[in-house]
Amino acid sequence: MRLRTLATATACGLAVLFAAAPSASAAEGHFFYTVNDPADGPVLSYLANPRSGECLVLPEVADPSTEPAHSPRNHTDSTATVFTGADCSGDRFTLRPNGGHASERLKLRSVIFS
């Protein structure tokens, strides 16, 4: 009888623990990238606390007639995979969390955070 009570208490405790755990719905931090504005030249843009597990098209370069963004810097706590095309298509490159970066030679239009 004591074993059954102990097992029930343990199961209830684990259920409460998992219910209270925060969900990983966003990468915490900032993801920086540079876009070339025809009037102003290079402009630094960023995503703050971007959603995880969802393809994010960079709004400034969503139109395929614009130059893609470049020089990404990942200052989030998640891995960022950047893509040359919109909708996470084309070639990809992975940037490690907390400071992963690439040069202006890396062109991107979308990103997904793990």
Side-chain angles (χ1 to χ4, degrees):
M1 186 72 155
R2 288 183 85 194
L3 186 57
R4 189 176 330 159
T5 303
L6 180 61
T8 302
T10 302
C12 289
L14 287 173
V16 169
L17 178 68
F18 287 120
S23 63
S25 62
E28 292 187 24
H30 291 81
F31 177 79
F32 297 94
Y33 54 96
T34 303
V35 293
N36 290 322
D37 183 289
D40 298 326
V43 176
L44 186 64
S45 293
Y46 68 92
L47 302 173
N49 301 320
R51 295 181 304 274
S52 295
E54 185 177 325
C55 181
L56 303 172
V57 177
L58 305 178
E60 300 89 345
V61 296
D63 182 349
S65 67
T66 62
E67 287 186 50
H70 60 85
S71 306
R73 299 199 177 285
N74 184 20
H75 291 283
T76 71
D77 61 356
S78 298
T79 299
T81 303
V82 299
F83 296 84
T84 57
D87 301 318
C88 295
S89 63
D91 294 334
R92 70 176 81 191
F93 187 81
T94 302
L95 301 170
R96 65 179 171 75
N98 303 312
H101 62 278
S103 74
E104 65 184 38
R105 292 183 298 163
L106 180 64
K107 308 300 184 193
L108 64 144
R109 290 190 187 274
S110 56
V111 60
I112 191 167
F113 295 88
S114 60

